[in-house]
Every structure is written in structure tokens, then in C-alpha cells.
Amino acid sequence: MATVAASLPLRAAARAGPAPSRLPSDAAFFPGRPWQRGLAARGRPREPAGWFRAEALSGGGGGGPPRREPMAPPYNVLITGSTKGIGYALARKFLKAGDNVVICSRSAERVESVASDLKKEFGEQHVWGTVCDVREGKDVKALVDFARDKLEYIDIWINNAGSNAYSYKPLVETSDEALIEVITTNTLGLMLCCREAINMMWNQPRGGHIFNIDGAGSDGRPTPRFAAYGATKRSVVHLTKSLQAELQMNEVNNVVVHNLSPGMVTTDLLMSGATTKQAKFFINILAETPDVVADYLVPNIREIPTKQSMKPTYIRFLTGLKAYSRIFSRIAFGARRNKYVAED
Amino acid sequence: MQGLAGSRSAAAEVYGGQYELAVEKAEEIFFSVATQVGRYVITMMSSGVVLAVGFQLSGGDSQTDALIWYSWLGGVIIGTMLGANSVLEEHCKAGPRNVVITGSTRGLGKALAREFLLSGDHVVIASRSPESVLQTINELEENIQEGLSVAKKKQRETLLQAKVVGTSCDVCKPEDVKKLVNFAVGELGSIDIWINNAGTNKGFRPLVNFSDEDITQIVSTNLVGSLLCTREAMDVMQYQEKGGHVFNMDGAGSGGSSTPLTAVYGSTKCGLRQFQASLMKESRRSKVGVHTASPGMVLTDLLLSGSSLQNKQMFNIICELPETVARTLVPRMRVVKGSGKAVNYLTPPRILLALVTAWVRRGRWFDEEGRAVYAAEADRIRNWAESRTRFSFTDAMEMYTENTWVSVFSLSVVCAFIMLSSSGGPFPGT
């Protein structure tokens, strides 16, 4: 049923969308037409398709269609929620690789202190910080303006801001505030960021890559004690999928949305749940420090623009094989016992 | 003399009246028993025929023939026991349920409310606007009155129990949801079934063309609202003696397939499916059942907003009116047991039927220019009492509980295999 429902609206857009002026209105939605493919092959600038056209023109792209440029390092990277945890580790790794990074978070003090620390370490012209609450549409818009102002364009946008309200309780005991915070940060914030990111990047000569960070529950498996968090993370993966389909439908081929899976990272978010025996067991076996995870993820992320790849990917730190082999070595040899938290 | 005669005739009249009443009652009981028996006889016979044909085709001999009939008998006995169990349970659990439906002033929610009322339940209507709640209550009460005027005796009794109340409630506001719960408990005493039906979509277009307000509203209605309502409902139900059942509505994207042009809606619905899995784990030992209900594609504003000519042609094949869907979902919701059940409208046989009859279904709801050809809601409801009494084949199929079908067929086959294997296999040719 879902497939039927999902495939139906495709045509809806074709009909209802504002028709691009230079091409017949259907052209954008029938990518198989040979004459159009010919256009693309000759390297002519891509015509803004259907829905995206109006946005593009109003989005400050000027008159003509955008030029295409290959992406080359150093990359301009924007990471949301990057003053602590995995976001901070990622920012440091990108800076070490020589990229320019925009950091942001909800708290002004944290942004200030982290930005000044990083500036001391990596130089004034590589890191910028601003306050941004991803749940507020105007904050996200301001973030885009800030990034455009400082760096002109963004190559890699990482939607890292996430919350589980640092509570691990059955749903019935969860407070209103916690529920609303989790959902608005993880789902609403992500959607607003994705929207602004696509809007910004699709008009850039270099295009862009958006990475959404998944979490427990993304695969659809149950997450008791943090049901709301799991549901939002499941919706992250689904949003990525839908956006990929949407972009493909509209022939936007310079913006790609990816998923990024850091696995279990020993941040506040995870460690606040280390209360049951089972949780401690798995944290000791599977979790890694943010630095280790970032060490793995950043080269993999940077590889995508370097290889000029425009295919959606799902970068995973903790693959199934890795997880099972660790569980095996723990049970067989007692490895990693009490690594982060005392189990007994 | 005359007086005596008069009293005698009066007595005879009284006696005759009692007699007639008794006969009527006996007739009624006999009829319902006969229906049940007839239903089972037909099921058993058909399973026997299927088995016989199957074994005949596979080239059975006289020995296997006897075994078929033994296995069929075994299947019949076990199937009857299971079926009787479910019938008894249904009978014992009869009586009004207290139902809360969010977002029930239009579309599917309203149809569900109406159907629950028809089954004699107590229903709480909730929606954001107080005016539309009031209007819906009036409308539904009118429906009940209309129903009463045409209903037969037995249905009349159930209809008289029906009761509809309502309050305004914005599901994304915690305090509103708490108020709704208190209202429902205050009015009805307890809540047996809670349906999280409130959901919104805001049309079909790419994410970049959604405004902040649209995204916020979709996320907070579909995700925040469902979570808050589920939490409050579970909180009340876990202290109730009989527990309760919470239903979350599926939608496009629930299964995990991508939903371009409704990315926000799809991903909230997808998140809800995972939420359901988590809830089942959390509420394993509690008395509260958490379930999903999938209405398939329903001709409501949610679907029709922003639909084009082409998808209207598609809608002809697979879509249904909200009343039709509610009529199928409600009986199943009423008797749901345990936890983690999925009450679906679009079951595989229905999809198959839709695809097979696709050609016939052209122009069912929309003509070639995309104009709606189905009656407005008010007109549909006017004919509703008659249409309910009309016999429909698919409904008749639905009347058999799935248990009966599954048990009769599978057990016959299982018995057959057990008997075949235990008989030592002295078959020629093996």
C-alpha cells in the first residue's frame, strides 16, 4: 500500500508545478527523453526543473542558470550541534584535514568558547561559530546567511544536532518537555536544516553534500526506554530516502543527501542511559569515543567530494560484522570489560 | 356473561401476545444459531472439497482417500473449537466500548466515530476547533436518530446505548491532551479504545517548498501528537481493570518506502512505525495493547489536496470511501486482543480484487476530467441505513474470523500429514 501511495504523487507535481519557461513543462519529469539527455551530455548548464526553479531564482542565484564547478579541497563544512560530542570531534577532524568549518549550537557561550579554542588551534580564517537553534526556521535561515557571508558556499553540511533529552525512561514516564524537545530537535530541526541546505546548495556552482546522522532505531528495530528518540531517528533515514527520490525526480543532480551512522559514541547522549546492566554491557563492547569515530568518518566523508561521486551513500562506522565480532570476542575472551563503565 | 367473555378474550389476547413474543424470540435465537451452524457447515464442506480435489488431482488411492476424510474430520473438530471460542469471546465482550478518536470531525475519523456509534459504543470526538466538534456531535446524533427510525429491534437496542460527546483538543499541546483524557474519563468512566487518527499532510510538493509553519504543523500533529496521546492514554489505561487498546494510524511511508513530495509526512509515519515496535517492548507486561490501523487509501482531504488528474485515475482503482473503510476497521478494532496487532483495510485479497477489477473500476470516483462523481457526505449518510443491511460478498467473507479460516485449512493439512506419516507409508510407488 505504501508503495502505491508513494508513487502516486509523482505525477501530481508534474502537473501542478510551475512550468519552466524554456523547456516544455513535461521535460523535467521525463529524464529519458533523448534530446534532453543530449543537452546534458554536451555539458550545457542544467535547467532548473519544475519546483526548484522558482526557489532558485528568488534564492539569490541571479539571472542565469548556475555554472558547474568541480568540488576541490579545502571543503567548506557546516556542522550543526557541533560544540560537543560527535559534532565537535567531526569539526576538529575536518579542521585538521585543512577544511573550513562553521560550527553552531543553541548556547551562545559554548559556541563562543569552542570557536575561540578552535581558532587558537587552527587559525582565525578556518573556523566560524554562530548561535543556531535548529528548531527555529529563522535561526536556520540566519545560519545559511552567516555561512554564505563568511564562506560564500558550503560543500558539506552535516545535520548532527540531536537530542534525547538525556532521559531513558518508558514512554509513560517521559515528560512533555522531553518528548517535545526530542521530536522538535531531531525531526523538525533536521527537516528545516535539510530544506535550507538543499535550497542553498542546489544553486551553488559546486553543488553540495548533505549528511544526516542516524541513531538507534534507524533500522526500525525497537528502542525501549527511548521510544521517542528511536522514532525520530527512524524518520531521519526515511527523510533521507524521500529527499533522494525527490531530488532525482526533479533532476537536481548537484545536491546529494547521504546518511551517516556513527554507531555508539560515548557522548552525554549515550552515557546518560548507562543505568541497566544490559546497557552497560553493550556500551562497553560497542561504543567508541567521539575521536575514534570521527577518525573513521571524516576521511570517508571527504572521499565523496574528492571522487566527484554523486551517488547517495550510507557511511557506517559500526557495521554488523564489526559489532558481532566484538560481541564474540567479549564473550569468548572477556575483551573490553569495564572499558567505559564499571559493569558490576 | 358478557363481562366474562370480554375478560377471557382479554386473557387470550395477553396469552396470545406472550406466545407471540416467545415465538418471536425463539425464532430469533433459532435463526442466529442456524446462521452460525450454516456458516460452519459451509466452511467445513468447502475445506473438505478443497482437500478432496487436491488429493484427487495428486492421484490418491482408496487408502489415502480414507485418510483425507479422517484428517478433514480432525480439522473440522479443531476448527470448530477455535471458532466457538472466538464466537463465545465476542459474545461475552459484547456491550458498549468507550472510544476516544482524535481528529474526528472529518474524513476517516468521523467515519470511524459513526461506525463505533452504530455498534452502540460511547465515543469522544476531539478536534482543534470547538465549533466543528459541536457540529460533528450534532450531525452524529442526527445519524443515530435516523438509524433508530429504520433499525430493527435488536439493532435498536444497541443503537440506544450509543452516546457521543466531544471536546476541543490540539493534540500537540500536552495540556490539551490531558484535558481530553480527563474529559473522557469524566464523561464515560473509562477508556477502552484510543485511536490516534489526527494527522495532516499539507499537500504534495518538494520539501524546499514547504514553509516553516507547514513543517512544524505536520511534525507536531503526526509525531508529537501521537506520542503525547499514546502516553496519556497508556497512563490512564494501565490503571484500568480491563486495560485498554491504543491504535496509531499508518500512512504512506510506514513501510519504509520513500515518499517523495510528501517527505515530511512520510518520515513522521515511518517514525511512528518504529515507535510502535518500541512501545510493544515497553508494554510487554502491561494491560495496555498498542496496535496499528492501516486504512489504505481513503478519499479524504488529506489525500485529495494537491492530487492531479492522473492520480485521480489511480484513486479510482484503489481508493475507498471513508465509510467503507471504517465499516471494515471498526468491528476488528472492537474485538482486538493482546498487543501489537495490525488492523489493515488493504489486505492482499482486497488488493488482488482491486487489480483484477481495475478495468471495471474506471470512473468509480472520478470521471475522465477528474471531477468527483461520488455523492457528498450528507447524501452518502442518508442512504447509509439501507446500505448497511444490503448483503455484500466481501463483508460476508470478512464475517468469518480469520482464525476459523486459518485453523480449518491449516489443521486439515497438518492432520493429513500426521496421519500419512504415522501410517507407515505403504504407498505404491514410493
Side-chain angles (χ1 to χ4, degrees), chain A residues 176 195 221 225 241 246, chain B residues 210 212 231 256 261 282:
Chain A
D176 300 334
R195 188 192 62 186
R221 266 182 254 176
R225 291 203 307 146
K241 221 172 168 185
E246 231 167 55
Chain B
F210 277 94
D212 291 351
R231 189 195 64 187
L261 303 185
E282 279 184 9

